[in-house]
Short mmCIF file of all heavy atoms in Angstrom, two decimals:
data_model
loop_
_atom_site.label_atom_id
_atom_site.label_comp_id
_atom_site.label_asym_id
_atom_site.label_seq_id
_atom_site.Cartn_x
_atom_site.Cartn_y
_atom_site.Cartn_z
N PHE A 139 106.61 126.88 101.38
CA PHE A 139 105.79 127.85 100.65
C PHE A 139 104.70 127.12 99.86
O PHE A 139 103.55 127.57 99.83
CB PHE A 139 106.66 128.66 99.69
CG PHE A 139 105.85 129.55 98.77
CD1 PHE A 139 105.37 130.75 99.22
CD2 PHE A 139 105.55 129.14 97.49
CE1 PHE A 139 104.61 131.55 98.39
CE2 PHE A 139 104.79 129.93 96.66
CZ PHE A 139 104.32 131.14 97.11
N LEU A 140 105.05 125.99 99.24
CA LEU A 140 104.08 125.27 98.42
C LEU A 140 102.93 124.68 99.24
O LEU A 140 101.92 124.27 98.69
CB LEU A 140 104.77 124.16 97.63
CG LEU A 140 105.67 124.64 96.50
CD1 LEU A 140 106.34 123.46 95.83
CD2 LEU A 140 104.87 125.42 95.47
N ILE A 141 103.09 124.64 100.55
CA ILE A 141 101.99 124.15 101.38
C ILE A 141 100.79 125.07 101.27
O ILE A 141 99.66 124.64 101.32
CB ILE A 141 102.46 124.03 102.85
CG1 ILE A 141 103.41 122.83 102.98
CG2 ILE A 141 101.29 123.87 103.80
CD1 ILE A 141 104.09 122.73 104.31
N GLY A 142 101.03 126.36 101.09
CA GLY A 142 99.92 127.29 100.88
C GLY A 142 99.30 127.75 102.18
O GLY A 142 99.71 127.37 103.27
N LYS A 143 98.26 128.59 102.07
CA LYS A 143 97.69 129.22 103.25
C LYS A 143 96.17 129.10 103.34
O LYS A 143 95.55 129.74 104.16
CB LYS A 143 98.08 130.71 103.28
CG LYS A 143 99.59 130.92 103.40
CD LYS A 143 99.94 132.38 103.49
CE LYS A 143 101.45 132.57 103.65
NZ LYS A 143 101.81 134.01 103.73
N THR A 144 95.56 128.28 102.50
CA THR A 144 94.12 128.10 102.60
C THR A 144 93.79 127.27 103.83
O THR A 144 94.65 126.57 104.38
CB THR A 144 93.55 127.41 101.36
OG1 THR A 144 94.11 126.10 101.27
CG2 THR A 144 93.88 128.17 100.09
N ARG A 145 92.52 127.32 104.23
CA ARG A 145 92.10 126.59 105.42
C ARG A 145 92.34 125.08 105.24
O ARG A 145 92.80 124.40 106.16
CB ARG A 145 90.62 126.86 105.68
CG ARG A 145 90.11 126.26 106.97
CD ARG A 145 88.63 126.52 107.11
NE ARG A 145 88.10 125.99 108.36
CZ ARG A 145 86.82 125.93 108.66
NH1 ARG A 145 85.92 126.38 107.78
NH2 ARG A 145 86.41 125.44 109.81
N GLN A 146 92.05 124.59 104.06
CA GLN A 146 92.22 123.17 103.79
C GLN A 146 93.68 122.75 103.90
O GLN A 146 94.01 121.71 104.47
CB GLN A 146 91.68 122.82 102.40
CG GLN A 146 91.65 121.34 102.10
CD GLN A 146 90.97 121.04 100.78
OE1 GLN A 146 90.56 121.96 100.06
NE2 GLN A 146 90.86 119.77 100.42
N MET A 147 94.59 123.59 103.36
CA MET A 147 96.01 123.27 103.42
C MET A 147 96.55 123.38 104.84
O MET A 147 97.41 122.60 105.26
CB MET A 147 96.79 124.17 102.47
CG MET A 147 96.39 124.04 101.01
SD MET A 147 96.40 122.33 100.41
CE MET A 147 98.14 121.95 100.49
N ASN A 148 96.04 124.36 105.60
CA ASN A 148 96.46 124.48 106.99
C ASN A 148 96.08 123.24 107.79
O ASN A 148 96.81 122.82 108.69
CB ASN A 148 95.83 125.73 107.62
CG ASN A 148 96.52 127.00 107.18
OD1 ASN A 148 97.68 126.99 106.82
ND2 ASN A 148 95.80 128.11 107.21
N ARG A 314 92.22 126.13 95.11
CA ARG A 314 92.96 126.95 96.08
C ARG A 314 93.49 128.20 95.40
O ARG A 314 94.68 128.51 95.43
CB ARG A 314 94.06 126.12 96.72
CG ARG A 314 94.88 125.29 95.75
CD ARG A 314 95.76 124.27 96.43
NE ARG A 314 96.76 124.86 97.29
CZ ARG A 314 97.98 124.35 97.51
NH1 ARG A 314 98.34 123.23 96.92
NH2 ARG A 314 98.82 124.92 98.31
N GLU A 316 93.29 131.13 96.26
CA GLU A 316 93.90 132.11 97.16
C GLU A 316 95.42 132.00 97.17
O GLU A 316 96.12 132.96 97.46
CB GLU A 316 93.37 131.93 98.59
CG GLU A 316 91.88 132.13 98.73
CD GLU A 316 91.11 130.83 98.65
OE1 GLU A 316 91.48 129.96 97.83
OE2 GLU A 316 90.15 130.68 99.42
N ASP A 317 95.93 130.79 96.88
CA ASP A 317 97.37 130.57 96.90
C ASP A 317 98.05 130.89 95.58
O ASP A 317 99.27 130.98 95.51
CB ASP A 317 97.69 129.11 97.25
CG ASP A 317 97.28 128.75 98.67
OD1 ASP A 317 97.30 129.65 99.52
OD2 ASP A 317 96.97 127.58 98.91
N GLN A 320 100.48 133.82 95.21
CA GLN A 320 101.68 133.62 96.03
C GLN A 320 102.65 132.65 95.34
O GLN A 320 103.86 132.84 95.39
CB GLN A 320 101.27 133.07 97.39
CG GLN A 320 100.41 134.04 98.19
CD GLN A 320 100.04 133.49 99.53
OE1 GLN A 320 100.90 133.22 100.38
NE2 GLN A 320 98.76 133.30 99.76
N PHE A 321 102.10 131.63 94.68
CA PHE A 321 102.95 130.74 93.91
C PHE A 321 103.66 131.49 92.80
O PHE A 321 104.85 131.31 92.56
CB PHE A 321 102.12 129.61 93.29
CG PHE A 321 101.57 128.63 94.29
CD1 PHE A 321 100.31 128.08 94.11
CD2 PHE A 321 102.30 128.26 95.39
CE1 PHE A 321 99.80 127.17 95.01
CE2 PHE A 321 101.81 127.35 96.32
CZ PHE A 321 100.55 126.81 96.12
N GLU A 416 94.56 139.06 98.68
CA GLU A 416 94.27 138.95 100.11
C GLU A 416 93.03 139.76 100.47
O GLU A 416 92.17 139.30 101.23
CB GLU A 416 95.47 139.45 100.93
CG GLU A 416 96.52 138.38 101.18
CD GLU A 416 97.46 138.75 102.32
OE1 GLU A 416 97.50 139.95 102.69
OE2 GLU A 416 98.15 137.87 102.83
N LEU A 438 89.42 131.82 106.85
CA LEU A 438 90.68 132.16 106.20
C LEU A 438 91.85 131.32 106.70
O LEU A 438 92.93 131.32 106.11
CB LEU A 438 91.00 133.64 106.41
CG LEU A 438 90.06 134.64 105.72
CD1 LEU A 438 90.27 136.04 106.29
CD2 LEU A 438 90.29 134.64 104.21
N GLY A 439 91.64 130.63 107.83
CA GLY A 439 92.71 129.82 108.39
C GLY A 439 93.79 130.65 109.07
O GLY A 439 94.95 130.26 109.11
N ILE A 440 93.41 131.83 109.61
CA ILE A 440 94.37 132.69 110.30
C ILE A 440 93.81 133.04 111.68
O ILE A 440 92.63 132.81 111.97
CB ILE A 440 94.65 133.98 109.50
CG1 ILE A 440 93.36 134.80 109.28
CG2 ILE A 440 95.29 133.65 108.17
CD1 ILE A 440 93.57 136.11 108.54
#
Side-chain angles (χ1 to χ4, degrees):
F139 173 80
L140 289 177
I141 288 171
K143 297 182 178 180
T144 63
R145 186 183 182 189
Q146 188 174 2
M147 299 308 293
N148 284 334
R314 46 192 297 213
E316 299 95 321
D317 293 331
Q320 297 181 62
F321 291 143
E416 274 197 343
L438 293 166
I440 60 178

